[in-house]
Amino acid sequence: MTPEEIGARLAALVDESPAPTVSGGGPFARATVDVPLGRWRAAVQAGRDDPELGLDFFDWLSAVDEGDGGFDLVIHVWSTTRRHGLLIRTRLTDRAAPLAPSIVDLYPGAAWHERETREMFGITFTDPGDDRPLLLPEEFEGHPLRKEFVLATRVAKPWPGAKEPGESSHGGPAKRQPMRPMGVPDPREWGPNAGASPEPEEDRPRRPAADRPARPPRTPRTPPPAAAAPPPAATPPPPGGAAAPPPGESPAPPPGTAPTDGE
């Protein structure tokens, strides 16, 4: 089945579902089916029990903070027999107390994912749900993956790489203004220094140009001497030990050979 056929099959099993969309491409293409929150659990169960889809393997579950629109709850399931996957997504519009039905009884492997999503986004899973902490201590306040979560550490403690030109002790002019990452508030608006005016920059007197020592003149570099050519190699004697005759002379006859006329 193609991703379009997989999405259309689940959309036909779940009433009140809009047309499915396809994300990715090639072997990584996945159909994404958006369902209302009231049909979330029914859609997950339909994909698992339908013989044509056969989505018997739970892969992962997480959420996406959509700002004022709420949260998107997403699950990715896979068929081990038909070798295809599907994304099922629903929207939680209540940011103050988002609730979603648990699917642990359908996929027991979703237990840890629901606990992590509850800690990171503040989404509570019901029926039955599990409120035990997974990654954060019990006394931790807030939900780190929400967009409004304040990264207080970067305000209360100096960041090691926060010094820009003009902010350290060298006193040079600043070349650019430091940018705060998302979630890091202005230290003058939040934290122990809230309401404080910015510290004036210290003006460091610059040394006049006349007091600067003159640079010594550069000495031109001389190229190294060229290497001498190696002597020509001696001609090796021929086999048998007889030396080659001088230029213009005939070679001597081999021993035991009678001389010919003219020699």
Side-chain angles (χ1 to χ4, degrees):
M1 299 176 68
T2 64
E4 292 80 3
E5 293 173 345
I6 296 170
R9 175 62 181 176
L10 183 65
L13 296 175
V14 182
D15 299 335
E16 303 177 2
S17 176
T21 59
V22 177
S23 61
F28 304 101
R30 293 288 183 273
T32 303
V33 178
D34 291 284
V35 298
L37 180 59
R39 302 288 296 169
W40 161 259
R41 178 183 166 84
V44 174
Q45 185 172 3
R48 186 198 65 171
D49 298 340
D50 183 67
E52 294 188 18
L53 295 176
L55 303 170
D56 55 344
F57 178 78
F58 167 84
D59 190 8
W60 54 263
L61 179 145
S62 188
V64 180
D65 189 347
E66 298 293 347
D68 296 337
F71 301 93
D72 278 343
L73 188 62
V74 188
I75 181 177
H76 180 249
V77 284
W78 179 261
S79 173
T80 58
T81 57
R82 299 183 178 274
R83 312 299 297 174
H84 59 228
L86 178 66
L87 291 167
I88 307 175
R89 181 173 57 190
T90 189
R91 174 63 63 91
L92 285 68
T93 57
D94 187 1
R95 292 190 62 88
L99 299 175
S102 175
I103 58 170
V104 172
D105 56 332
L106 301 177
Y107 294 105
W112 281 25
H113 296 251
E114 290 184 356
R115 291 168 62 187
E116 180 189 24
T117 304
R118 185 191 67 83
E119 286 186 326
M120 297 293 115
F121 295 93
I123 299 175
T124 301
F125 292 88
T126 60
D127 304 325
D130 193 345
D131 294 338
R132 292 177 300 165
L134 179 65
L135 303 175
L136 303 177
E138 295 184 0
E139 62 273 11
F140 190 88
E141 297 181 0
H143 306 287
L145 292 187
R146 284 196 177 196
K147 291 184 177 179
E148 70 268 16
F149 184 78
V150 176
L151 301 177
T153 303
R154 296 198 178 185
V155 178
K157 181 179 180 181
W159 191 249
K163 292 297 182 182
E164 297 286 343
E167 298 179 349
S168 57
S169 58
H170 64 72
K175 295 183 179 180
R176 63 181 184 272
Q177 295 295 331
M179 298 180 62
R180 294 189 305 274
M182 182 178 296
V184 179
D186 191 336
R188 294 168 296 179
E189 299 176 358
W190 190 92
N193 299 325
S197 59
E199 298 181 0
E201 297 184 359
E202 298 180 0
D203 295 332
R204 181 181 177 182
R206 296 189 176 185
R207 183 170 52 184
D211 296 343
R212 298 177 184 175
R215 289 185 176 181
R218 292 186 176 182
T219 304
R221 299 180 58 185
T222 57
T235 304
E249 296 184 8
S250 302
T257 304
T260 59
D261 294 341
E263 292 184 354

